[in-house]
Amino acid sequence: MGAAMMENFTYDHLVREKGVQMAERLAYIDFLLFFKGGLSRGELFEFFGLKEAAASQAITEYRSIRPKNVEYDRRPAKNVILRATYQPLITWDAEVALSMLASGFNKNKLKDVPLLPFARVGLRPKRLDVNIVSKVTRAISEKIAIKCHYLSGSGKHSERLLFPTAFFYDGNNWMFRAYHKDMSGNGGSFKCFDFSRVASVEELTSLPAATNEKIEQDADWHITTPIHLELHPGLSEADKSRLRYEFDIDESTNSFVINVKAVLFFYLVHLWKIDVQAIEPERVKAFNFLLKNGEMLQHLKCMENVFKA
C-alpha cells in the first residue's frame, strides 16, 4: 500500500494491511479531513487517548499513503486538506458520514455488517453525492461560503451563494441550514436546504462568513418553543390508545407538551401528522395530533410555511 496506489480502500482492507488500531486511526484522520477540512493532533489525543508521539505517527502514516491529501498549516496549527489533490483513503457513504458527524465517529459503521438482520425501507435510488456533502460540511466547519446550484421547490436550478451553518435529519431527508446571501448584495436570510437537491458545489475558501452570516445570528435556530399537542378528536379510541403507547402519553390525558427548535417544527408537522389549522372533519384521518397553541406560534417568522393555507 504505497503512495503510488491511489485507489480507495475498504476499511477491512486497511485492517488487514495495517492492523485494527492503525486502520481505525487512519480512517478517523481521513474522515476529519474529508468532512471537516482538517484535524489537529489534539483531536487524535482526545478521541483515542493517544500520546503526542503516537498521534504524530498516525498522521505520518496517513501522509505516507496519501501525500497529496494533507499539509500542515502553522496558522491554525493543524493538518488541513489539500482540496485540489485530495482523494479519500477509503470509500465513504454520505449518509453514514452525516450520521457520524451527528453522533460521533464509529468504525463499526464502516463495515456495513449489521449485528442483527436489518434492512432500510424507503432508500432513494439517487444516493447523496459524498463530494457535494463533504463540501457543505467543510463549509460548516470552516465557516466559509459555497456557491451551488440548487433545485428549488418550483423545479428550477438556480445558483446560490450560501454560508452553511448546521445540518439535521428531518426523519426522511438530510438537510442543512445556511445563510442565503442575495447574489446582488442586497442582504439575505437563514433558510433550510435539502442535500439531495444540491446539483453542484464550489467552495469559496477566501470568503469567510461575516458576523451576521454565522449561526450565532440565526435567531430562529436558537429559539426553542413549547408545542402543545392533543390526540386528534377525530381519531377512534383504538387509534388514540395506540398513539398513547407509541408516544408515551399518560392514559389519563389526551394531550402533552414538548419543546422543539422552532425552525424545525415545520418538519415535525409532516413527520408526526399534526393538524395545525383544525382541518375539516372529513380529513381528520390524515392526522395524529391537533396543535393547541398555534396562536402563540404564528408570530414567529419561521412558522410562515407551517400555517400557510
Side-chain angles (χ1 to χ4, degrees):
M1 255 173 50
M5 296 177 64
M6 294 303 290
E7 73 270 22
N8 290 13
F9 302 100
T10 64
Y11 178 70
D12 286 339
H13 187 165
L14 278 182
V15 170
R16 290 194 298 272
E17 293 286 334
K18 298 293 182 179
V20 175
Q21 282 191 338
M22 183 57 74
E24 185 177 8
R25 294 169 189 177
L26 293 173
Y28 186 60
I29 292 170
D30 200 48
F31 173 73
L32 293 182
L33 281 173
F34 197 15
F35 297 100
K36 291 189 66 181
L39 75 150
S40 65
R41 283 181 299 184
E43 287 176 280
L44 294 177
F45 170 78
E46 184 177 342
F47 189 78
F48 294 107
L50 299 180
K51 294 183 178 179
E52 186 173 321
S56 296
Q57 180 189 7
I59 294 170
T60 299
E61 180 68 20
Y62 181 87
R63 295 184 69 165
S64 73
I65 304 169
R66 286 286 193 270
K68 295 182 179 181
N69 276 11
V70 58
E71 68 176 356
Y72 184 75
D73 189 335
R74 293 185 180 277
R75 288 171 298 174
K78 64 190 298 185
N79 296 276
V80 299
I81 187 172
L82 290 170
R83 286 173 167 82
T85 53
Y86 173 83
Q87 181 179 334
L89 178 62
I90 64 176
T91 300
W92 292 98
D93 177 85
E95 294 200 32
V96 168
L98 286 168
S99 71
M100 289 199 292
L101 286 169
S103 59
F105 181 82
N106 185 341
K107 66 181 180 181
N108 293 321
K109 291 185 178 181
L110 302 179
K111 298 179 180 181
D112 196 26
V113 180
L115 298 179
L116 293 172
F118 168 81
R120 177 167 173 184
V121 179
L123 189 63
R124 292 180 180 179
K126 178 188 175 183
R127 305 295 297 273
L128 291 181
D129 186 322
V130 70
N131 291 304
I132 285 176
V133 168
S134 66
K135 290 177 181 179
V136 174
T137 59
R138 288 199 297 263
I140 294 172
S141 177
E142 299 178 338
K143 296 180 173 59
I144 59 172
I146 61 171
K147 188 180 291 183
C148 70
H149 282 86
Y150 187 79
L151 182 65
S152 67
S154 62
K156 295 181 180 179
H157 275 290
S158 59
E159 188 174 67
R160 311 209 180 191
L161 181 61
L162 306 178
F163 291 87
T165 58
F167 72 102
F168 61 95
Y169 186 67
D170 73 354
N172 292 303
N173 306 301
W174 286 100
M175 313 281 293
F176 66 96
R177 185 81 168 162
Y179 183 85
H180 181 197
K181 190 166 187 175
D182 191 314
M183 298 286 278
S184 63
N186 296 320
S189 60
F190 289 97
K191 299 178 181 178
C192 296
F193 299 88
D194 190 329
F195 275 106
S196 67
R197 292 188 180 185
V198 181
S200 63
V201 176
E202 177 188 353
E203 292 174 277
L204 304 179
T205 57
S206 61
L207 185 56
T211 300
N212 67 303
E213 297 159 348
K214 295 180 179 179
I215 192 170
E216 290 81 5
Q217 301 303 312
D218 186 357
D220 289 338
W221 181 262
H222 296 289
I223 294 174
T224 298
T225 185
I227 303 295
H228 185 189
L229 299 178
E230 180 183 274
L231 293 172
H232 205 285
L235 293 172
S236 68
E237 287 305 314
D239 285 335
K240 288 181 180 180
S241 179
R242 171 182 57 81
L243 286 169
R244 284 194 187 96
Y245 186 81
E246 291 177 356
F247 285 81
D248 198 24
I249 304 169
D250 194 279
E251 286 290 335
S252 63
T253 184
N254 282 328
S255 66
F256 64 103
V257 176
I258 57 170
N259 291 313
V260 175
K261 193 178 285 291
V263 75
L264 302 184
F265 181 56
F266 171 82
Y267 303 97
L268 192 67
V269 166
H270 296 277
L271 187 64
W272 284 8
K273 300 178 182 177
I274 300 171
D275 179 357
V276 300
Q277 295 179 329
I279 297 296
E280 55 273 16
E282 59 268 23
R283 288 187 55 200
V284 296
K285 289 186 178 180
F287 300 103
N288 289 329
F289 303 104
L290 178 66
L291 179 66
K292 299 294 291 181
N293 62 332
E295 289 185 4
M296 187 187 86
L297 307 174
Q298 291 187 23
H299 72 283
L300 296 172
K301 182 176 174 56
C302 62
M303 294 289 178
E304 288 179 356
N305 288 333
V306 172
F307 296 101
K308 189 178 294 183

